[in-house]
Amino acid sequence: MLVAVRSAGALHRLLDVLPAFDGDSRVVTRFTLVPGSRFDVDALSALDRAGARTLPWEEALRGAHDLILAASPKGELRRLSGPRALLPHGAGFNKTITDDGSAGVPSGLDPHYLLADGGPWAGLHALAHEEQVSRLERTSPVAARHAAVVGDPTLDRLLASAPRREDFRDALETGPRRLIVLTSTWGPESLVSRRPGLAADLSGLLPYDSFQLALVLHPNEHSDTGLFDLSRRLAPALSAGLVLSRPHEEWAALLIAADAVITDHGSTALYAAALGRPVIDAYDGGHELIPDSPMARLLAASPGLPAAPELPDALRAALAVDTRTLAAGAFSRQGQALTRLRHHLYRLLGLTPPPGPVRTRAFPRPSTAPRRPSAFAVRTEVSGERITVQRFPAHTREHVHHLAAEHPTAGQREAQSASVLWRRAQDTAAHPHSTAWTVWTAGGWTAHALAESPACRTAVAVLTPRRCLLRHRAAGLFSLRLEPHRDAGRVSYADPAAVASAVHAWLGTGASHAPPVSLLCDTGAITVRVHLETAVADDLDYEL
């Protein structure tokens, strides 16, 4: 069996199909890269990561194959010899590409690509929904004779992975925050092309302790731009904590972990809708979206996002939309895709399928670690012994109370301007091969920080998630004890650095600071209680 790929995105789709052959030693799989796509840059490295064995294109042309799997009919595929099975490149057929094939027809349903010498190019055209067969019959009746509705193996993987939602959120360090995922297709009408600053704008508006942002890009955008330039372009948002997903599999974990999705006209959002996630329309219009396609109907029913400040209203409106019903027009036979594909693919091979059920693999735990900001612009509101804290990236234009920065990771400008400096205790296991090293005590470092930083009013040593030592320039030394937030059997911890900013604001009100004092801190998603006590020796001597 030859798996013919033109891009990393096509390869990822086909990898979701190959478990249909699990356990069968009769089927030997080889991969080849079909020339002609500008998005083939990452395909070979993706094949290498998959551990695949490849055939050079010229060698693939010389031999006959028992089965050829492809996720795109474009390019020189028709030169390959053997029965062909064609699978969709994404969820549904929602886009037409200007100057590529027949005008106004998505390439996956375009007779320009699906017919060869007047006959059907593929012996199997595997589709996800009966509506797609009807559309294919209108554009290419000859090709439609070989169409079969099998469902969508990628959606089945998403549904099988849905029980891992909390595990995925733990890996992303989302906690009790709301995860907002931006999804972008590729090309001139994509979100990242039309609204390249949206992620940075949202990160500057949304409180860090209430929201987490992530971005899912089409694999073609990864291939065309490259990680180096993507990281440079997205630097302000990435430094504020934006999670940029890897192009293979991690995007799916982010959709499962998401609380809402902001999208252009790319079909990734249909998968989010099938999971029941609220969808917000950030597509500015154009010529690519096929009218009355599943994606067009989803966007028509979803609230729009004309500008970043309107996100709260759009989120409220999106919660009232039944996205699962809208996605049903793109997916049928849910949970059956691999079983149905196995039947059809083995028919083309002329073999009897192995006995027993075929297993749908869950998506793996995401491995991209979110970047934790090292400086925050902090807005506070003090009402007696209750303090509300909202933290934003340092580049925000929001009105704030003070700047807080982490030592030693914050930039020099932020560290010199910060009213609050904090430092987290390090694990001594970080020096496994050292014969000697020197560390600060919490008491020593907080005194040093105030002495070396004239702008600093409060220095905080974060000892554990529940203990801090705080030294205020006027009010003196305190040990802080943080209680976690408990709700329905779950325990959530506030970032001690956020609590430190709350205490700093309270100390600046001129209220009586004689310990012990108990304060309530609203840090966005959760409220925690913090106890201020006279500094104890164990905290003063705690080694950082």
Side-chain angles (χ1 to χ4, degrees), residues 202-256:
L202 288 171
S203 70
L205 289 169
L206 298 177
Y208 176 82
D209 299 296
S210 298
F211 293 92
Q212 183 180 34
L213 287 174
L215 176 62
V216 169
L217 294 175
H218 192 285
N220 285 356
E221 191 66 39
H222 281 271
S223 296
D224 201 35
T225 306
L227 182 58
F228 180 86
D229 256 7
L230 284 174
S231 299
R232 180 184 58 78
R233 294 178 187 180
L234 296 168
L238 290 171
S239 65
L242 176 76
V243 178
L244 176 61
S245 80
R246 292 183 171 91
H248 182 216
E249 298 188 318
E250 199 165 66
W251 67 271
L254 286 173
L255 293 190
I256 292 167

Side-chain angles (χ1 to χ4, degrees), residues 48-376:
D48 184 60
R49 288 193 300 271
R53 292 291 179 264
T54 59
L55 289 179
W57 176 246
E58 294 301 325
E59 184 178 343
L61 289 176
R62 288 196 294 268
H65 309 281
D66 297 303
L67 178 62
I68 300 166
L69 286 184
S72 169
K74 297 181 181 179
E76 301 182 50
L77 277 166
R78 62 194 63 198
R79 296 177 59 193
L80 294 168
S81 177
R84 306 180 185 100
L86 179 64
L87 292 106
H89 190 67
F93 301 94
N94 307 288
K95 286 176 60 178
T96 183
I97 307 303
T98 305
D99 300 325
D100 187 1
S102 305
V105 179
S107 58
L109 302 177
D110 191 344
H112 178 78
Y113 295 110
L114 298 180
L115 301 181
D117 301 323
W121 178 88
L124 170 66
H125 198 156
L127 299 173
H129 195 279
E130 291 79 4
E131 182 264 355
Q132 296 168 10
V133 178
S134 298
R135 292 170 66 192
L136 182 59
E137 288 172 341
R138 293 194 295 269
T139 59
S140 182
V142 175
R145 295 174 194 161
H146 294 272
V149 178
V150 299
D152 187 304
T154 302
L155 175 64
D156 288 355
R157 290 192 71 190
L158 281 159
L159 296 174
S161 306
R164 299 196 63 190
R165 173 175 163 83
E166 292 301 324
D167 181 38
F168 292 168
R169 289 172 67 88
D170 286 344
L172 296 167
E173 300 178 10
T174 305
R177 295 180 292 175
R178 300 171 75 182
L179 173 58
I180 310 298
V181 176
L182 288 77
T183 70
S184 175
T185 186
W186 61 279
E189 295 182 11
S190 68
L191 183 68
V192 291
S193 293
R194 291 274 187 86
R195 305 172 74 170
L198 181 60
D201 291 344
L202 288 171
S203 70
L205 289 169
L206 298 177
Y208 176 82
D209 299 296
S210 298
F211 293 92
Q212 183 180 34
L213 287 174
L215 176 62
V216 169
L217 294 175
H218 192 285
N220 285 356
E221 191 66 39
H222 281 271
S223 296
D224 201 35
T225 306
L227 182 58
F228 180 86
D229 256 7
L230 284 174
S231 299
R232 180 184 58 78
R233 294 178 187 180
L234 296 168
L238 290 171
S239 65
L242 176 76
V243 178
L244 176 61
S245 80
R246 292 183 171 91
H248 182 216
E249 298 188 318
E250 199 165 66
W251 67 271
L254 286 173
L255 293 190
I256 292 167
D259 292 292
V261 169
I262 300 171
T263 186
D264 54 18
H265 58 309
S267 61
T268 299
L270 280 169
Y271 288 119
L275 292 167
R277 302 295 179 262
V279 172
I280 296 170
D281 174 13
Y283 179 47
D284 289 338
H287 303 290
E288 294 183 353
L289 182 63
I290 300 291
D292 202 37
S293 63
M295 192 64 210
R297 293 193 292 270
L298 175 63
L299 292 179
S302 301
L305 185 67
E310 298 181 45
L311 180 61
D313 290 339
L315 276 173
R316 284 190 290 271
L319 290 170
V321 179
D322 182 0
T323 55
R324 281 194 176 95
T325 299
L326 292 163
F331 308 108
S332 65
R333 308 292 198 275
Q334 294 186 15
Q336 304 175 32
L338 287 183
T339 299
R340 289 178 171 272
L341 277 168
R342 174 184 272 190
H343 167 76
H344 289 287
L345 296 175
Y346 272 89
R347 173 178 55 81
L348 292 176
L349 282 169
L351 296 175
T352 301
V358 61
R359 175 176 169 267
T360 298
R361 300 173 184 170
F363 283 103
R365 181 181 170 96
S367 57
T368 296
R371 189 182 304 178
R372 182 179 291 176
S374 57
F376 289 102

Side-chain angles (χ1 to χ4, degrees), residues 498-524:
V499 175
S501 278
V503 175
H504 166 79
W506 180 79
L507 290 172
T509 63
S512 172
H513 305 142
V517 177
S518 180
L519 304 174
L520 275 179
C521 299
D522 294 320
T523 60

Side-chain angles (χ1 to χ4, degrees), residues 1-7 10-18 21 27-34 47 52-55 57 60 65 67-71 77 80 85 87:
M1 179 174 64
L2 182 70
V3 181
V5 300
R6 300 184 73 244
S7 64
L11 170 65
H12 300 158
R13 297 291 301 183
L14 293 169
L15 290 176
D16 286 346
V17 175
L18 296 184
F21 303 97
V27 179
V28 177
T29 309
R30 292 293 181 264
F31 295 77
T32 193
L33 182 62
V34 183
L47 284 168
R53 292 291 179 264
T54 59
L55 289 179
W57 176 246
H65 309 281
L67 178 62
I68 300 166
L69 286 184
L77 277 166
L80 294 168
L87 292 106

